[in-house]
């Protein structure tokens, strides 16, 4: 199958390697020169022009930093996409952008499917991501040979935009749990309880979460802070949750303080740092 990938960073680069390794004919485009060189060694044909790259592709995967870049790239390539092709957007974007891109696809004769992912670069590099799919069911069915290579689990969430809404909710919960588990660990440490024992107890109880089961042992307690997901990307996702709540008229009273920690109180942690560094916020006070 002929596949084009646009955006070959931490996540897209892993997808390139997986699909090429599965014998697919993979082409890619990324503006970053170092990334292009890495993709060549990953077995992809590297283009220096995104419009030339998309011509003739049956499936085009996007793994881009944010919704505004998804829209800009789509406007650039829409007229060059083959009739009947499918664009799978694995970026963490917005429901409104996905719906607008699906409408653009209808105009130009291609399908646009939301497919935001979880699992980080390790899962992208091993074909074990979770993907939240939304859009036309017939297009999602036709993507099966690709999603089978890239994922350990897919969830059909609903119509266009639903995948990105669900992904924003997922990351909102992850952002909240990072702040809350860090506070629980500090509270218990101050009360004389070691983090390992506390987390073993929490993970056997109703307070457990992906953060207590995965992030703390894998990236926080051992000081590794090397998940491959940045503070900047999580701050973007916290902002997307606030934006979606505002657009839908939903009150996020509980989340407001957590969002303030990510966006305003932790500015000493750079956007380029690992997102698990947020657990250090508050330790110094
Ligand atoms: P990244 O910054 O490593 O990669 C993004 C890539 O997009 C870069 O290589 C950049 O050069 C490229 N790019 C920027 N503008 C472009 C353009 N106009 N055309 C083509 N390429 C362009 O980011 P990442 O960590 O790989 O994340 C990609 C997306 O996946 C984001 O939306 C992120 O929120 C989401 N995501 C990331 C993770 C993670 O753990 N890293 C997990 C789940 C979802």
């Amino acid at each position: 199958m002929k596949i084009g990938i646009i955006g070959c960073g931490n996540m897209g680069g892993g997808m390139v390697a997986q699909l090429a390794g599965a014998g697919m004919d993979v082409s890619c485009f990324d503006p970053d020169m170092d990334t292009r060189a890495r993709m060549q060694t990953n077995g992809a044909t590297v283009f220096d022009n995104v419009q030339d790259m998309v011509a003739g592709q049956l499936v085009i995967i996007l793994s881009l930093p944010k919704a505004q870049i998804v829209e800009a790239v789509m406007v650039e390539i829409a007229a060059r996409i083959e009739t009947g092709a499918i664009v799978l957007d694995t970026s963490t974007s917005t429901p409104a952008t996905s719906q607008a891109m699906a409408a653009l696809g209808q105009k130009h004769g291609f399908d646009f499917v939301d497919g935001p992912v979880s699992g980080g670069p390790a899962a992208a590099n091993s074909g074990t991501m979770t993907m939240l799919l939304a859009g036309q069911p017939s297009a999602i069915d036709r993507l099966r040979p690709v999603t089978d290579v890239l994922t350990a689990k897919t969830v059909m969430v609903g119509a266009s935009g639903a995948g990105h809404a669900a992904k924003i909710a997922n990351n909102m919960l992850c952002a909240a749990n990072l702040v809350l588990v860090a506070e629980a660990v500090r509270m218990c440490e101050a009360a004389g309880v070691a983090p390992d024992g506390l987390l073993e107890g929490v993970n056997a109880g109703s307070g457990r979460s992906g953060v207590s089961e995965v992030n703390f042992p894998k990236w926080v307690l051992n000081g590794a802070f090397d998940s491959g997901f940045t503070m900047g990307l999580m701050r973007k996702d916290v902002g997307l949750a606030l934006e979606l709540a505002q657009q839908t008229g939903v009150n996020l009273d509980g989340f407001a303080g957590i969002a303030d920690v990510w966006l305003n109180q932790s500015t000493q942690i750079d956007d380029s740092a690992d997102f698990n560094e947020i657990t250090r916020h508050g330790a110094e006070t």
Side-chain angles (χ1 to χ4, degrees), residues 5-13 15-16 28-31 35 39 53 61-65 90:
I5 304 195
I6 305 177
C8 307
N10 286 324
M11 299 301 286
M15 292 185 233
V16 167
C28 66
F29 173 79
D30 194 293
T35 304
M39 291 312 108
M53 196 281 276
I61 298 178
L62 310 181
S63 179
L64 295 166
T90 69

Side-chain angles (χ1 to χ4, degrees), residues 6-12 29-32 35 63-66 69 73 90-92 117 120-121 167 228-229 233 236-237:
I6 305 177
C8 307
N10 286 324
M11 299 301 286
F29 173 79
D30 194 293
D32 182 75
T35 304
S63 179
L64 295 166
K66 56 184 180 181
I69 297 180
V73 168
T90 69
S91 326
T92 303
V117 290
K167 174 66 180 168
F229 187 57
L233 286 175
K236 171 197 73 167
D237 297 344

Side-chain angles (χ1 to χ4, degrees), residues 2 7 18-19 38 64 73 84 90 125 140 152 160 164 166 171 194 206 218 226 228 232 240 245 251 255 257 280:
K2 270 178 78 64
Q18 282 301 304
L19 292 165
R38 261 200 317 280
L64 295 166
V73 168
T90 69
N125 274 302
I140 291 170
S160 179
H164 285 123
N171 282 22
S206 57
K218 202 167 167 184
D226 62 352
L240 292 179
N251 199 335
F255 188 62
R280 290 178 162 160

Side-chain angles (χ1 to χ4, degrees), residues 93-96 161 164-169 237-250 252:
S93 177
T94 68
H164 285 123
K167 174 66 180 168
I168 290 169
D237 297 344
V238 167
L240 292 179
L242 298 180
E243 196 180 292
L244 186 57
Q246 194 185 28
Q247 284 164 3
T248 50
V250 171
L252 294 188

Side-chain angles (χ1 to χ4, degrees), residues 200-227:
E200 198 178 335
V202 165
N203 289 337
S206 57
R208 70 183 178 278
S209 61
V211 165
S212 65
E213 289 182 334
V214 179
N215 295 53
F216 266 72
K218 202 167 167 184
W219 296 306
V220 178
L221 292 180
N222 60 5
F225 294 101
D226 62 352
S227 72

